[in-house]
Amino acid sequence: MPMSTFGIYLASFAAALLAGAFFFYLRWVAQGGREKCPSLIPDRVDTIEDVRQLLANGDKIGAIKMYREINHVSLKQAKDAVEAESF
């Protein structure tokens, strides 16, 4: 079954849009975009010691959030680990 004219135009527009986005990204990287955008490059990496420090300061919710970010676990797993201090 042949593609309709609209489908052909839509496919060519999508291809042109993707190619344009790709070349814009390449130009952005070549101009030092990564260095100009500090939000893309973390300043420091959180550690388990930071989780312990938050817990010692009484910030249980912050400790759970940080534990989740570090270990990529569910909320329940992080909560159980922080409450049991099994890290």
Side-chain angles (χ1 to χ4, degrees), residues 5-59:
T5 306
F6 177 73
I8 292 171
Y9 288 135
L10 187 61
S12 61
F13 175 73
L17 188 64
L18 286 173
F22 177 70
F23 287 113
F24 178 77
Y25 173 75
L26 288 180
R27 193 180 90 202
W28 178 74
V29 170
Q31 292 175 349
R34 289 181 182 227
E35 289 78 25
K36 293 177 186 174
C37 257
S39 63
L40 296 177
I41 304 170
D43 292 336
R44 65 189 259 341
V45 178
D46 295 326
T47 63
I48 294 296
E49 290 303 318
D50 296 326
V51 174
R52 286 190 179 106
Q53 186 64 38
L54 284 173
L55 201 54
N57 292 341
D59 188 7

Side-chain angles (χ1 to χ4, degrees), residues 52 55-56 67 78-87:
R52 286 190 179 106
L55 201 54
Y67 187 88
K79 181 178 176 283
D80 292 343
V82 168
E83 286 178 346
E85 295 183 37
S86 61
F87 43 86

Side-chain angles (χ1 to χ4, degrees), residues 51-82:
V51 174
R52 286 190 179 106
Q53 186 64 38
L54 284 173
L55 201 54
N57 292 341
D59 188 7
K60 184 177 169 184
I61 293 173
I64 292 170
K65 286 180 181 180
M66 189 177 290
Y67 187 88
R68 285 189 73 197
E69 290 174 8
I70 293 170
N71 295 306
H72 306 287
V73 296
S74 71
L75 178 61
K76 181 175 180 357
Q77 291 170 327
K79 181 178 176 283
D80 292 343
V82 168

